[in-house]
Each structure stands twice: as C-alpha cells, then as structure tokens.
Amino acid sequence: MKGKSYFEEREISCIERVNAIIDTLPYFVHDFFIGVELRTSPLTRLNYAYDLRVFFTFLTKKVFRNKEIDQISLSDLANLDSSDIEYFLSYLSHYEINGKKERCTETGKARKLSTIRAFYKYFFNKNLLPANTPMKVSMPKIHEKEIVRLDSNDKINEISEMLYTVETGVGLTKRQKDFHEATKLRDTAIVTLFLGTGIRISELVGLNYDDIDFNTNSFVVTRKGGNRAVLYFNSEVADALKTYLLTRKESELQQEKALFLSLQNRRISTRTVQELVKKYARIASPLKKITPHKLRSTFGTNLYKKTGDIYVVADCLGHKDVNTTKKHYAAITEDIRKKAALSISLKNNEEQ
C-alpha cells in the first residue's frame, strides 16, 4: 500500500487538532465547521479553531463571567453588540490562553475579526442569529511593513555572504561546527533552493527526491490548496542538489523518499529549517531578521528586477492574486522606472 505523502499527513494532523479544539467549545461550533468544510482547507479550519477558542475564552473571562465555555449559547452571541467585539480586539493586545501570555499584531487582530465575521455569517444565513454583529466593526488598519530581504548590489552581496557562511561554517560556534560537518551539504542545498526558486517552507519540506528532474532542471511542488506546479531551477541550484544527493545511500532512498532529512534520517521539519536559516543569517546579515520567507522575498525581488514582469513573479511565487505580488514589490517598481528613465540618452543618441 502506498504511504501517505507529507501533505496528506499534514491534513490528517490538522483535522485531528481541529476536532480536539471543537470538543472544548460550545456544541453549535461543530455545525459551523461542517458548513465550511467543503470550501476551506484543513489548515484554514485549524486557524479558525484557534481563533474561536481565543474568542470564547475572552467571553468567559470578560463578558459572561458566570459561564463556562461549553455553556455559552447562540442566544448569548445574539446579545453581544459591536462594542463587545471592539472590546475583544482590544483584549487581543495582551491576553493569556492555556497559561501562556500572547499578543496580537494588527494582522493577527484582522484575522481573528475575519474569523468571527465568518462564524456569525454562517449562523445569520441559517436564521439562527439576528445579525452579523462583527461586520459593524471596522477592520484594524494594517500598516505596510518594509520588505526584509538579502541585498545584492555593487557595494554588498548578502546573498553570497549567506551561501559562503552555509558552505564553510565560518562564524559558527564550536558546537555548531560539529553539527555543520554533517549537515553542510544539506543546508547548502536548502538555502540555495530557497534563493533560487522562492518556494515556501512547506513546499520545500514536502519535497520528495523523485520530484526532481535533472534532465529539465525542474521539480514539482504542492502549492497552497493542494495544487501541483512545475518550477525550474538554474545550474547553481542543480549543483547544490546533486552534491547533496550524493550523500544519500540507495537503501536509504528506498526507506525515506523525503528530499531533505533530519539527522535522525526522517523528513526534516519546518522548525528545523527555520532554525538553520536563522543560524546562518545571524552571521551573514546580523542586522536583519532573515527567515525562509525572507529568502523567498529575496528571490521575488531579484526576479522582478531581472524581468520587470509582475505576472511572471506572481506565477513563480504561486500567488493566486497578482495584487498580492504588487503589494509586496511595488517599491521596486520605482527603481525600475528610475533606471529606465536614466538609460535614455537624448543628445548622445547615435544611430547604430
């Protein structure tokens, strides 16, 4: 029997966690998750579950203090007004759940408001709530953040510095160097793949060795939503991958099809990838907080500068909406316009 893929196992894990959280919430919450199942991914539903757990915890602490979570009814929700929802957003600035202190940024507050809007909408459409009260509350204003990425120009080449650090281990502690000897080829392949293709961390972790085709320098990734896409890579990425795969034994490949393995010879985890990128980035670019997603931004920036085509960048990054790409790379458009204007010569323009 064919084993489950990384993404199938992740879906099962998400569903199990969603069900565990639903069991701690009011009985009618289950109906909402059944209602949205066909149009949402398990990961989206897991985020819904986390958000609703925070919302109902807030209600028992600040609004219905004489009730437990499972005692809250739809009638209680109907009695909430917009000021209660605004109070919830304020509460998110600093709160505690499961004994752990948390805080939400503007983006986090916006996501939770979207969740309870969807939650209310479901029961409003079923005529079980008189109004979608959260819709009366404005979304938090999201301030655009500067894109953090590795720079590469005439004065500095942080991309080269990053790759040099991964390949040589220069700057690592003695303990880190002991591990580095065993992982440097794997880590070089990982960082090179991020920088050369811009894939997401989940896409990288989910790769199997047989997803790679060196005849065409291409590979298949599973995008958000489960769609499969073919991406291409250059010779530098190919060399890094081939060198790493030489360390994999044939017998090992039969047992574990994951492309990147941990030191325990199991599929590498997203946490491990995040930590290894952070470890090398602290040395190569100490003033920037570089993550796998920032390496993805680095690729997107370089691709846009090379092509000037936002649609190509959107396609390679797997953005369903090109406006998402435009939002992140709008600032670079100004650089492209400036260079284009400066490249035009008037008086010294001679016919070839």
Side-chain angles (χ1 to χ4, degrees), residues 4 6-7 9 30 41 60 81 97 106-107 111 124 131 139 144 156 159 163 166 173 212 214 251 270 302 317 337-338:
K4 294 182 179 66
Y6 165 76
F7 295 97
E9 290 178 348
H30 179 266
S41 69
T60 60
D81 58 30
I97 189 160
E106 300 158 343
T107 304
R111 193 191 84 178
F124 174 68
M139 275 286 176
E144 295 296 332
I156 188 171
I159 296 175
L163 291 171
V166 181
T173 65
I212 311 292
F214 288 111
S251 58
T270 55
N302 288 338
L317 292 178
R337 287 174 182 164
K338 184 177 180 180

PDB file of all heavy atoms in Angstrom, residues 4 6-7 9 30 41 60 81 97 106-107 111 124 131 139 144 156 159 163 166 173 212 214 251 270 302 317 337-338:
ATOM      1  N   LYS A   4       1.351   7.533   2.815  1.00  0.00           N
ATOM      2  CA  LYS A   4       0.783   8.872   2.694  1.00  0.00           C
ATOM      3  C   LYS A   4       1.886   9.887   2.440  1.00  0.00           C
ATOM      4  O   LYS A   4       2.994   9.773   2.955  1.00  0.00           O
ATOM      5  CB  LYS A   4       0.018   9.237   3.963  1.00  0.00           C
ATOM      6  CG  LYS A   4      -1.222   8.387   4.226  1.00  0.00           C
ATOM      7  CD  LYS A   4      -1.928   8.868   5.478  1.00  0.00           C
ATOM      8  CE  LYS A   4      -3.182   8.052   5.728  1.00  0.00           C
ATOM      9  NZ  LYS A   4      -2.854   6.662   6.052  1.00  0.00           N
ATOM     10  N   TYR A   6       3.604  13.757   2.593  1.00  0.00           N
ATOM     11  CA  TYR A   6       3.764  14.746   3.660  1.00  0.00           C
ATOM     12  C   TYR A   6       2.501  15.591   3.804  1.00  0.00           C
ATOM     13  O   TYR A   6       2.047  15.857   4.916  1.00  0.00           O
ATOM     14  CB  TYR A   6       4.959  15.638   3.348  1.00  0.00           C
ATOM     15  CG  TYR A   6       5.019  16.908   4.165  1.00  0.00           C
ATOM     16  CD1 TYR A   6       5.423  16.888   5.490  1.00  0.00           C
ATOM     17  CD2 TYR A   6       4.667  18.132   3.595  1.00  0.00           C
ATOM     18  CE1 TYR A   6       5.481  18.059   6.237  1.00  0.00           C
ATOM     19  CE2 TYR A   6       4.718  19.304   4.327  1.00  0.00           C
ATOM     20  CZ  TYR A   6       5.124  19.271   5.649  1.00  0.00           C
ATOM     21  OH  TYR A   6       5.178  20.432   6.384  1.00  0.00           O
ATOM     22  N   PHE A   7       1.920  16.008   2.681  1.00  0.00           N
ATOM     23  CA  PHE A   7       0.759  16.899   2.718  1.00  0.00           C
ATOM     24  C   PHE A   7      -0.492  16.161   3.186  1.00  0.00           C
ATOM     25  O   PHE A   7      -1.341  16.744   3.864  1.00  0.00           O
ATOM     26  CB  PHE A   7       0.550  17.537   1.346  1.00  0.00           C
ATOM     27  CG  PHE A   7       1.694  18.438   0.953  1.00  0.00           C
ATOM     28  CD1 PHE A   7       2.704  17.971   0.127  1.00  0.00           C
ATOM     29  CD2 PHE A   7       1.780  19.726   1.459  1.00  0.00           C
ATOM     30  CE1 PHE A   7       3.777  18.788  -0.209  1.00  0.00           C
ATOM     31  CE2 PHE A   7       2.843  20.543   1.127  1.00  0.00           C
ATOM     32  CZ  PHE A   7       3.856  20.075   0.298  1.00  0.00           C
ATOM     33  N   GLU A   9      -0.432  13.649   5.328  1.00  0.00           N
ATOM     34  CA  GLU A   9      -0.231  13.501   6.768  1.00  0.00           C
ATOM     35  C   GLU A   9      -0.490  14.818   7.495  1.00  0.00           C
ATOM     36  O   GLU A   9      -1.056  14.834   8.594  1.00  0.00           O
ATOM     37  CB  GLU A   9       1.193  13.023   7.048  1.00  0.00           C
ATOM     38  CG  GLU A   9       1.441  11.580   6.616  1.00  0.00           C
ATOM     39  CD  GLU A   9       2.872  11.143   6.852  1.00  0.00           C
ATOM     40  OE1 GLU A   9       3.722  12.022   7.135  1.00  0.00           O
ATOM     41  OE2 GLU A   9       3.139   9.935   6.750  1.00  0.00           O
ATOM     42  N   HIS A  30     -19.539  23.014  16.168  1.00  0.00           N
ATOM     43  CA  HIS A  30     -19.358  21.869  15.274  1.00  0.00           C
ATOM     44  C   HIS A  30     -20.113  22.074  13.969  1.00  0.00           C
ATOM     45  O   HIS A  30     -19.613  21.741  12.881  1.00  0.00           O
ATOM     46  CB  HIS A  30     -19.844  20.592  15.969  1.00  0.00           C
ATOM     47  CG  HIS A  30     -19.720  19.354  15.144  1.00  0.00           C
ATOM     48  ND1 HIS A  30     -20.754  18.857  14.369  1.00  0.00           N
ATOM     49  CD2 HIS A  30     -18.668  18.518  14.938  1.00  0.00           C
ATOM     50  CE1 HIS A  30     -20.360  17.768  13.731  1.00  0.00           C
ATOM     51  NE2 HIS A  30     -19.096  17.538  14.066  1.00  0.00           N
ATOM     52  N   SER A  41      -9.588  24.738   3.460  1.00  0.00           N
ATOM     53  CA  SER A  41      -8.574  23.703   3.664  1.00  0.00           C
ATOM     54  C   SER A  41      -8.506  23.347   5.149  1.00  0.00           C
ATOM     55  O   SER A  41      -8.928  24.134   6.008  1.00  0.00           O
ATOM     56  CB  SER A  41      -7.212  24.208   3.199  1.00  0.00           C
ATOM     57  OG  SER A  41      -6.751  25.245   4.072  1.00  0.00           O
ATOM     58  N   THR A  60     -15.811  34.190  28.318  1.00  0.00           N
ATOM     59  CA  THR A  60     -15.964  33.678  29.683  1.00  0.00           C
ATOM     60  C   THR A  60     -15.198  34.519  30.701  1.00  0.00           C
ATOM     61  O   THR A  60     -15.571  34.581  31.868  1.00  0.00           O
ATOM     62  CB  THR A  60     -15.486  32.213  29.782  1.00  0.00           C
ATOM     63  OG1 THR A  60     -14.107  32.139  29.408  1.00  0.00           O
ATOM     64  CG2 THR A  60     -16.307  31.310  28.888  1.00  0.00           C
ATOM     65  N   ASP A  81     -23.077  43.175  21.312  1.00  0.00           N
ATOM     66  CA  ASP A  81     -23.153  44.277  20.353  1.00  0.00           C
ATOM     67  C   ASP A  81     -21.750  44.610  19.849  1.00  0.00           C
ATOM     68  O   ASP A  81     -20.759  43.982  20.245  1.00  0.00           O
ATOM     69  CB  ASP A  81     -23.840  45.506  20.966  1.00  0.00           C
ATOM     70  CG  ASP A  81     -23.144  46.017  22.226  1.00  0.00           C
ATOM     71  OD1 ASP A  81     -21.909  45.860  22.333  1.00  0.00           O
ATOM     72  OD2 ASP A  81     -23.835  46.580  23.095  1.00  0.00           O
ATOM     73  N   ILE A  97      -3.831  32.487  27.312  1.00  0.00           N
ATOM     74  CA  ILE A  97      -4.611  31.304  26.976  1.00  0.00           C
ATOM     75  C   ILE A  97      -3.771  30.063  27.244  1.00  0.00           C
ATOM     76  O   ILE A  97      -2.574  30.026  26.927  1.00  0.00           O
ATOM     77  CB  ILE A  97      -5.093  31.351  25.506  1.00  0.00           C
ATOM     78  CG1 ILE A  97      -6.088  30.216  25.241  1.00  0.00           C
ATOM     79  CG2 ILE A  97      -3.942  31.314  24.522  1.00  0.00           C
ATOM     80  CD1 ILE A  97      -6.957  30.433  24.026  1.00  0.00           C
ATOM     81  N   GLU A 106      -1.564  43.929  14.403  1.00  0.00           N
ATOM     82  CA  GLU A 106      -2.712  44.371  13.594  1.00  0.00           C
ATOM     83  C   GLU A 106      -3.193  43.243  12.692  1.00  0.00           C
ATOM     84  O   GLU A 106      -4.398  43.009  12.543  1.00  0.00           O
ATOM     85  CB  GLU A 106      -2.304  45.579  12.729  1.00  0.00           C
ATOM     86  CG  GLU A 106      -1.845  46.781  13.527  1.00  0.00           C
ATOM     87  CD  GLU A 106      -0.977  47.719  12.705  1.00  0.00           C
ATOM     88  OE1 GLU A 106      -0.480  47.274  11.649  1.00  0.00           O
ATOM     89  OE2 GLU A 106      -0.793  48.875  13.114  1.00  0.00           O
ATOM     90  N   THR A 107      -2.240  42.541  12.091  1.00  0.00           N
ATOM     91  CA  THR A 107      -2.591  41.445  11.179  1.00  0.00           C
ATOM     92  C   THR A 107      -3.311  40.330  11.918  1.00  0.00           C
ATOM     93  O   THR A 107      -4.296  39.777  11.418  1.00  0.00           O
ATOM     94  CB  THR A 107      -1.326  40.883  10.498  1.00  0.00           C
ATOM     95  OG1 THR A 107      -0.634  41.950   9.836  1.00  0.00           O
ATOM     96  CG2 THR A 107      -1.673  39.808   9.494  1.00  0.00           C
ATOM     97  N   ARG A 111      -7.164  38.989  11.332  1.00  0.00           N
ATOM     98  CA  ARG A 111      -7.501  37.598  11.025  1.00  0.00           C
ATOM     99  C   ARG A 111      -8.582  37.079  11.961  1.00  0.00           C
ATOM    100  O   ARG A 111      -9.530  36.413  11.538  1.00  0.00           O
ATOM    101  CB  ARG A 111      -6.257  36.710  11.133  1.00  0.00           C
ATOM    102  CG  ARG A 111      -6.461  35.315  10.535  1.00  0.00           C
ATOM    103  CD  ARG A 111      -5.347  34.365  10.884  1.00  0.00           C
ATOM    104  NE  ARG A 111      -5.577  33.769  12.206  1.00  0.00           N
ATOM    105  CZ  ARG A 111      -4.785  32.863  12.758  1.00  0.00           C
ATOM    106  NH1 ARG A 111      -3.692  32.479  12.120  1.00  0.00           N
ATOM    107  NH2 ARG A 111      -5.047  32.360  13.944  1.00  0.00           N
ATOM    108  N   PHE A 124     -26.080  33.525  10.852  1.00  0.00           N
ATOM    109  CA  PHE A 124     -27.014  34.542  10.366  1.00  0.00           C
ATOM    110  C   PHE A 124     -27.730  34.033   9.112  1.00  0.00           C
ATOM    111  O   PHE A 124     -28.957  34.176   8.973  1.00  0.00           O
ATOM    112  CB  PHE A 124     -26.258  35.838  10.058  1.00  0.00           C
ATOM    113  CG  PHE A 124     -27.086  36.905   9.412  1.00  0.00           C
ATOM    114  CD1 PHE A 124     -28.117  37.548  10.106  1.00  0.00           C
ATOM    115  CD2 PHE A 124     -26.855  37.283   8.095  1.00  0.00           C
ATOM    116  CE1 PHE A 124     -28.887  38.528   9.508  1.00  0.00           C
ATOM    117  CE2 PHE A 124     -27.624  38.262   7.488  1.00  0.00           C
ATOM    118  CZ  PHE A 124     -28.644  38.887   8.195  1.00  0.00           C
ATOM    119  N   ALA A 131     -28.247  39.045  13.446  1.00  0.00           N
ATOM    120  CA  ALA A 131     -27.369  39.975  12.717  1.00  0.00           C
ATOM    121  C   ALA A 131     -25.936  39.463  12.743  1.00  0.00           C
ATOM    122  O   ALA A 131     -25.556  38.671  13.607  1.00  0.00           O
ATOM    123  CB  ALA A 131     -27.429  41.369  13.345  1.00  0.00           C
ATOM    124  N   MET A 139     -12.256  46.827  10.245  1.00  0.00           N
ATOM    125  CA  MET A 139     -11.011  46.059  10.296  1.00  0.00           C
ATOM    126  C   MET A 139      -9.878  46.947  10.820  1.00  0.00           C
ATOM    127  O   MET A 139      -9.836  48.142  10.507  1.00  0.00           O
ATOM    128  CB  MET A 139     -10.639  45.563   8.895  1.00  0.00           C
ATOM    129  CG  MET A 139     -11.310  44.280   8.503  1.00  0.00           C
ATOM    130  SD  MET A 139     -10.561  42.906   9.400  1.00  0.00           S
ATOM    131  CE  MET A 139     -11.620  41.560   8.844  1.00  0.00           C
ATOM    132  N   GLU A 144       1.756  48.938   6.261  1.00  0.00           N
ATOM    133  CA  GLU A 144       2.648  48.186   5.388  1.00  0.00           C
ATOM    134  C   GLU A 144       4.048  48.105   6.007  1.00  0.00           C
ATOM    135  O   GLU A 144       4.592  49.092   6.492  1.00  0.00           O
ATOM    136  CB  GLU A 144       2.743  48.854   4.017  1.00  0.00           C
ATOM    137  CG  GLU A 144       1.428  48.856   3.237  1.00  0.00           C
ATOM    138  CD  GLU A 144       0.955  47.459   2.886  1.00  0.00           C
ATOM    139  OE1 GLU A 144       1.811  46.556   2.751  1.00  0.00           O
ATOM    140  OE2 GLU A 144      -0.265  47.262   2.757  1.00  0.00           O
ATOM    141  N   ILE A 156      27.524  45.606  -1.765  1.00  0.00           N
ATOM    142  CA  ILE A 156      27.398  44.488  -0.833  1.00  0.00           C
ATOM    143  C   ILE A 156      26.656  43.343  -1.510  1.00  0.00           C
ATOM    144  O   ILE A 156      25.787  43.570  -2.350  1.00  0.00           O
ATOM    145  CB  ILE A 156      26.643  44.931   0.451  1.00  0.00           C
ATOM    146  CG1 ILE A 156      26.682  43.814   1.504  1.00  0.00           C
ATOM    147  CG2 ILE A 156      25.208  45.335   0.131  1.00  0.00           C
ATOM    148  CD1 ILE A 156      26.149  44.257   2.853  1.00  0.00           C
ATOM    149  N   ILE A 159      23.696  37.868  -0.381  1.00  0.00           N
ATOM    150  CA  ILE A 159      23.361  36.519  -0.850  1.00  0.00           C
ATOM    151  C   ILE A 159      24.622  35.654  -0.872  1.00  0.00           C
ATOM    152  O   ILE A 159      24.629  34.526  -0.364  1.00  0.00           O
ATOM    153  CB  ILE A 159      22.712  36.571  -2.247  1.00  0.00           C
ATOM    154  CG1 ILE A 159      21.375  37.313  -2.180  1.00  0.00           C
ATOM    155  CG2 ILE A 159      22.526  35.168  -2.805  1.00  0.00           C
ATOM    156  CD1 ILE A 159      20.713  37.521  -3.520  1.00  0.00           C
ATOM    157  N   LEU A 163      25.477  32.294   1.459  1.00  0.00           N
ATOM    158  CA  LEU A 163      25.880  30.998   0.910  1.00  0.00           C
ATOM    159  C   LEU A 163      27.273  30.605   1.390  1.00  0.00           C
ATOM    160  O   LEU A 163      27.529  29.428   1.678  1.00  0.00           O
ATOM    161  CB  LEU A 163      25.827  31.039  -0.616  1.00  0.00           C
ATOM    162  CG  LEU A 163      24.416  31.122  -1.221  1.00  0.00           C
ATOM    163  CD1 LEU A 163      24.482  31.367  -2.723  1.00  0.00           C
ATOM    164  CD2 LEU A 163      23.636  29.839  -0.936  1.00  0.00           C
ATOM    165  N   VAL A 166      26.992  29.262   4.910  1.00  0.00           N
ATOM    166  CA  VAL A 166      26.420  27.918   4.941  1.00  0.00           C
ATOM    167  C   VAL A 166      27.443  26.884   4.479  1.00  0.00           C
ATOM    168  O   VAL A 166      27.588  25.813   5.080  1.00  0.00           O
ATOM    169  CB  VAL A 166      25.161  27.840   4.040  1.00  0.00           C
ATOM    170  CG1 VAL A 166      24.561  26.444   4.107  1.00  0.00           C
ATOM    171  CG2 VAL A 166      24.122  28.866   4.473  1.00  0.00           C
ATOM    172  N   THR A 173      29.677  28.618  16.226  1.00  0.00           N
ATOM    173  CA  THR A 173      30.313  28.224  17.471  1.00  0.00           C
ATOM    174  C   THR A 173      30.929  26.836  17.297  1.00  0.00           C
ATOM    175  O   THR A 173      30.629  26.126  16.326  1.00  0.00           O
ATOM    176  CB  THR A 173      29.297  28.178  18.622  1.00  0.00           C
ATOM    177  OG1 THR A 173      28.333  27.130  18.346  1.00  0.00           O
ATOM    178  CG2 THR A 173      28.565  29.508  18.774  1.00  0.00           C
ATOM    179  N   ILE A 212      12.263  15.655  -8.295  1.00  0.00           N
ATOM    180  CA  ILE A 212      13.301  16.403  -9.012  1.00  0.00           C
ATOM    181  C   ILE A 212      13.610  15.736 -10.348  1.00  0.00           C
ATOM    182  O   ILE A 212      13.772  14.516 -10.432  1.00  0.00           O
ATOM    183  CB  ILE A 212      14.604  16.470  -8.179  1.00  0.00           C
ATOM    184  CG1 ILE A 212      14.321  16.902  -6.740  1.00  0.00           C
ATOM    185  CG2 ILE A 212      15.619  17.394  -8.843  1.00  0.00           C
ATOM    186  CD1 ILE A 212      13.853  18.312  -6.584  1.00  0.00           C
ATOM    187  N   PHE A 214      16.480  16.252 -13.139  1.00  0.00           N
ATOM    188  CA  PHE A 214      17.696  16.962 -13.537  1.00  0.00           C
ATOM    189  C   PHE A 214      17.856  17.049 -15.058  1.00  0.00           C
ATOM    190  O   PHE A 214      18.687  17.820 -15.540  1.00  0.00           O
ATOM    191  CB  PHE A 214      18.923  16.303 -12.910  1.00  0.00           C
ATOM    192  CG  PHE A 214      19.027  16.534 -11.429  1.00  0.00           C
ATOM    193  CD1 PHE A 214      18.847  15.488 -10.537  1.00  0.00           C
ATOM    194  CD2 PHE A 214      19.308  17.798 -10.921  1.00  0.00           C
ATOM    195  CE1 PHE A 214      18.938  15.690  -9.171  1.00  0.00           C
ATOM    196  CE2 PHE A 214      19.399  18.013  -9.563  1.00  0.00           C
ATOM    197  CZ  PHE A 214      19.218  16.960  -8.671  1.00  0.00           C
ATOM    198  N   SER A 251      19.823   2.507  -0.403  1.00  0.00           N
ATOM    199  CA  SER A 251      18.937   1.826   0.541  1.00  0.00           C
ATOM    200  C   SER A 251      18.139   2.823   1.357  1.00  0.00           C
ATOM    201  O   SER A 251      16.970   2.607   1.676  1.00  0.00           O
ATOM    202  CB  SER A 251      19.752   0.930   1.480  1.00  0.00           C
ATOM    203  OG  SER A 251      20.718   1.710   2.190  1.00  0.00           O
ATOM    204  N   THR A 270       9.634  21.779   9.543  1.00  0.00           N
ATOM    205  CA  THR A 270       9.665  23.219   9.256  1.00  0.00           C
ATOM    206  C   THR A 270      10.447  23.957  10.337  1.00  0.00           C
ATOM    207  O   THR A 270      11.149  24.926  10.041  1.00  0.00           O
ATOM    208  CB  THR A 270       8.236  23.796   9.162  1.00  0.00           C
ATOM    209  OG1 THR A 270       7.522  23.487  10.360  1.00  0.00           O
ATOM    210  CG2 THR A 270       7.490  23.203   7.975  1.00  0.00           C
ATOM    211  N   ASN A 302      14.725  39.768  -6.789  1.00  0.00           N
ATOM    212  CA  ASN A 302      15.701  39.590  -7.864  1.00  0.00           C
ATOM    213  C   ASN A 302      15.018  39.257  -9.192  1.00  0.00           C
ATOM    214  O   ASN A 302      15.419  39.747 -10.256  1.00  0.00           O
ATOM    215  CB  ASN A 302      16.695  38.487  -7.499  1.00  0.00           C
ATOM    216  CG  ASN A 302      17.646  38.924  -6.410  1.00  0.00           C
ATOM    217  OD1 ASN A 302      17.849  40.116  -6.199  1.00  0.00           O
ATOM    218  ND2 ASN A 302      18.228  37.977  -5.701  1.00  0.00           N
ATOM    219  N   LEU A 317       6.003  32.604  -7.757  1.00  0.00           N
ATOM    220  CA  LEU A 317       5.807  32.559  -6.304  1.00  0.00           C
ATOM    221  C   LEU A 317       4.530  31.829  -5.908  1.00  0.00           C
ATOM    222  O   LEU A 317       4.316  31.536  -4.732  1.00  0.00           O
ATOM    223  CB  LEU A 317       5.781  33.978  -5.724  1.00  0.00           C
ATOM    224  CG  LEU A 317       7.098  34.747  -5.768  1.00  0.00           C
ATOM    225  CD1 LEU A 317       6.917  36.154  -5.203  1.00  0.00           C
ATOM    226  CD2 LEU A 317       8.195  34.021  -4.992  1.00  0.00           C
ATOM    227  N   ARG A 337      11.589  52.052 -12.829  1.00  0.00           N
ATOM    228  CA  ARG A 337      11.236  53.255 -13.578  1.00  0.00           C
ATOM    229  C   ARG A 337      12.403  54.235 -13.640  1.00  0.00           C
ATOM    230  O   ARG A 337      12.688  54.846 -14.672  1.00  0.00           O
ATOM    231  CB  ARG A 337      10.042  53.944 -12.917  1.00  0.00           C
ATOM    232  CG  ARG A 337       8.711  53.226 -13.117  1.00  0.00           C
ATOM    233  CD  ARG A 337       7.640  53.912 -12.315  1.00  0.00           C
ATOM    234  NE  ARG A 337       6.356  53.231 -12.447  1.00  0.00           N
ATOM    235  CZ  ARG A 337       5.332  53.435 -11.627  1.00  0.00           C
ATOM    236  NH1 ARG A 337       5.461  54.291 -10.620  1.00  0.00           N
ATOM    237  NH2 ARG A 337       4.196  52.810 -11.809  1.00  0.00           N
ATOM    238  N   LYS A 338      13.084  54.363 -12.497  1.00  0.00           N
ATOM    239  CA  LYS A 338      14.211  55.296 -12.432  1.00  0.00           C
ATOM    240  C   LYS A 338      15.334  54.864 -13.372  1.00  0.00           C
ATOM    241  O   LYS A 338      15.884  55.663 -14.138  1.00  0.00           O
ATOM    242  CB  LYS A 338      14.730  55.388 -10.996  1.00  0.00           C
ATOM    243  CG  LYS A 338      15.840  56.409 -10.798  1.00  0.00           C
ATOM    244  CD  LYS A 338      16.243  56.474  -9.328  1.00  0.00           C
ATOM    245  CE  LYS A 338      17.355  57.492  -9.119  1.00  0.00           C
ATOM    246  NZ  LYS A 338      17.762  57.570  -7.696  1.00  0.00           N
TER     247      LYS A 338
END
